[in-house]
Amino acid sequence: MLTPLTVAVAVAALLLAAWCGYAALRDQPVKDWHYLGMGLVLLLTIVQLAIGVVQLSGGERPSGDSTVVFASYLVAVPLCLPVVAMVSLGERTRWGSATVAAGALVLAVLQLRLDDVWAGGVSVG
């Protein structure tokens, strides 16, 4: 995996979480600018997914016996923001903003876990 891209996605997700969390504190729903931010973070996760698929198909594997776990995280990461975006569209209150903030935090944690699995930090059993 590309560590700089992993860090960039995690930092972008944390910035999105702070931005939407601030909107929730100000009692504001998710606005178009927030969706643009989600789109940018999603674009980074799709690039990461493509790089991960290319690396796996090229024969590179995560350390240890954790290819399935890595692939699961790799697929889950880009799905995180679209799910919370759909929820926020249905919840046009401050709770929509809070949902996006929570989803972005989950995305940042998934990034750390994805990097950990690639480095061999997966524990099975």
Side-chain angles (χ1 to χ4, degrees):
M1 285 302 299
L2 295 174
T3 301
L5 180 59
T6 302
V7 170
V9 173
V11 168
L14 289 173
L15 289 173
L16 178 64
W19 188 23
C20 290
Y22 181 68
L25 288 175
R26 295 186 66 209
D27 204 22
Q28 296 177 342
V30 178
K31 305 228 167 133
D32 291 342
W33 290 107
H34 296 117
Y35 290 109
L36 180 63
M38 283 186 266
L40 293 173
V41 176
L42 178 62
L43 182 62
L44 287 173
T45 64
I46 291 172
V47 168
Q48 184 180 48
L49 173 65
I51 289 172
V53 168
V54 166
Q55 286 181 327
L56 288 174
S57 64
E60 292 184 55
R61 297 285 181 256
S63 299
D65 188 24
S66 57
T67 303
V68 173
V69 174
F70 177 77
S72 299
Y73 278 105
L74 195 61
V75 170
V77 165
L79 294 176
C80 192
L81 285 181
V83 169
V84 296
M86 287 188 297
V87 171
S88 71
L89 281 171
E91 183 62 46
R92 300 299 293 173
T93 65
R94 70 184 298 190
W95 297 110
S97 296
T99 301
V100 174
L105 283 175
V106 167
L107 178 61
V109 171
L110 286 174
Q111 283 301 118
L112 294 174
R113 186 67 181 132
L114 185 68
D115 187 56
D116 189 43
V117 170
W118 183 261
V122 68
S123 60
V124 179

